[in-house]
Amino acid sequence: MTGTETLIVGGTGKTGRRVAERLMAHGMPVRVGSRNGTPPFDWEDRATWSAALAGTRASYVTYYPDLALPDAAEAIAAFADTALLAGTRRLVLLSGRGEPGAQRAEQALQASGADGTILRCSWFGQNFSESFLLEPILAGDVALPADRIREPFVDAEDVADVAAAALVDDSHIGRLYELTGPRLLSFAEAIAEIAKASGRTINYRAVDATAFVAGLEAAGLPGDLIELVRLLFTEVLDGSNEYLTHGVFEALGRPPRDFADYARATAPSGIWGTSK
Ligand SMILES: NC(=O)c1ccc[n+]([C@@H]2O[C@H](COP(=O)([O-])OP(=O)(O)OC[C@H]3O[C@@H](n4cnc5c(N)ncnc54)[C@H](OP(=O)(O)O)[C@@H]3O)[C@@H](O)[C@H]2O)c1
């Protein structure tokens, strides 16, 4: 029997938390998919999936840690099968732009028979405030293996707006939205926007991949996270995503937020230190 709740897998994460807020504001019941949820959901423990899906009508699906990893597409296929068995037909998948693993995951969703929508997203602005880039920003010295490469950073608020729209309105079934921000920025330019918005001095240095990995090891990051970050900078940020798309406009009928808007909206929280 189809339920009424929407399972937000990764409901405590960068986009999931924002999608949950929007659905609740819309009066829709939400179940937060988390290892600490009730019931718990763990990508590493398939025995948790059926109970987390039971009684739900739809799910926003964010895979962790990243669809670029080799096992991700098979996990998405298995999740979609479990969802359909539970009567959860409506699946909205958060996908990545450029990684072959993400495209395999999209194909797995499309082949599953679910009523699917795919959000193929560029890098989130929020990686600078809610992820591994926050620490070097606070230290005032960001060193990345990215020199002239430019990325059309998308605001997680826009991703959440599109996901919520898709979960509210069935006209988005079968659609694939490629979501980018409205402007290509280098990492140095992105850091400059954050420095301006927070009133701080933050240096940016482009380093080679070997020096970058050595720096992460010295900072004590776990090996699997270092490998993931290395993969993202070589596979995703390789120049093939250096173009803008109109997915936010297609889905919502309005333009996407600019990175400077994200920086201005985020700085007053104090997360980057001094704010004007
Ligand atoms: N970040 C980007 O720029 C970006 C861009 C495009 C696509 N994507 C895709 O988005 C997905 C999520 O990436 P993200 O960076 O945005 O991460 P995120 O959603 O912020 O990740 C944190 C979330 O993952 C959950 N989580 C961690 N380990 C889990 C596990 N074993 N089982 C279930 N949930 C787990 C956490 O929940 P608990 O800790 O509460 O369990 C939390 O809700 C990835 O598949 C990635 O490919 C990301």
Side-chain angles (χ1 to χ4, degrees):
M1 203 179 79
T2 306
T4 55
E5 286 185 308
T6 299
L7 173 68
I8 313 283
V9 176
T12 56
K14 285 190 274 301
T15 61
R17 177 169 62 78
R18 292 174 165 88
V19 175
E21 284 167 6
R22 282 157 172 76
L23 293 188
M24 287 188 287
H26 210 264
M28 289 170 67
V30 158
R31 186 178 299 175
V32 173
S34 154
R35 289 165 297 175
N36 301 311
T38 314
F41 177 90
D42 189 342
W43 282 111
E44 303 296 325
D45 180 3
R46 294 186 183 198
T48 64
W49 297 4
S50 296
L53 282 158
T56 62
R57 60 167 276 277
S59 180
Y60 176 59
V61 187
T62 68
Y63 181 74
Y64 193 89
D66 203 283
L67 290 176
L69 294 174
D71 296 340
E74 193 277 323
I76 295 299
F79 179 86
D81 287 347
T82 310
L84 289 171
L85 272 175
T88 313
R89 294 205 54 78
R90 186 77 186 95
L91 300 180
V92 175
L93 175 68
L94 173 64
S95 182
R97 210 169 167 235
E99 315 93 295
Q103 265 77 89
R104 283 195 297 274
E106 293 174 4
Q107 287 155 13
L109 180 75
Q110 286 163 336
S112 70
D115 294 334
T117 302
I118 292 167
L119 313 185
R120 184 187 286 170
C121 299
S122 56
W123 254 55
F124 303 154
Q126 278 73 5
N127 291 336
F128 292 88
S129 47
E130 299 174 25
S131 192
F132 71 99
L133 291 174
L134 179 58
E135 205 175 313
I137 288 172
L138 287 172
D141 183 31
V142 180
L144 294 173
D147 189 359
R148 279 191 288 272
I149 199 86
R150 292 177 306 158
E151 175 71 9
F153 299 103
V154 68
D155 195 321
E157 301 286 351
D158 283 337
V159 177
D161 281 344
V162 177
L167 288 161
V168 166
D169 177 355
D170 283 351
S171 69
H172 299 280
I173 290 173
R175 301 296 304 268
L176 187 160
Y177 296 112
E178 192 159 354
L179 305 179
T180 74
R183 187 160 59 114
L184 290 163
L185 282 94
S186 68
F187 277 80
E189 288 167 335
I191 292 295
E193 292 284 4
I194 289 169
K196 187 173 157 196
S198 59
R200 294 189 50 223
T201 301
I202 310 168
N203 298 322
Y204 181 81
R205 293 179 291 130
V207 293
D208 68 29
T210 312
F212 176 62
V213 167
L216 295 180
E217 284 168 352
L221 257 73
D224 49 355
L225 183 58
I226 293 176
E227 176 50 23
L228 174 61
V229 173
R230 191 199 61 75
L231 192 72
L232 289 177
F233 274 95
T234 48
E235 245 190 34
V236 183
L237 296 166
D238 63 353
S240 54
N241 286 339
E242 273 193 346
Y243 64 97
L244 305 176
T245 62
H246 304 289
V248 172
F249 193 85
E250 285 166 18
L252 302 175
R254 62 149 177 90
R257 295 168 170 90
D258 188 73
F259 191 88
D261 299 331
Y262 151 73
R264 272 194 298 271
T266 304
S269 72
I271 197 159
W272 291 317
T274 315
S275 167
K276 278 183 201 170

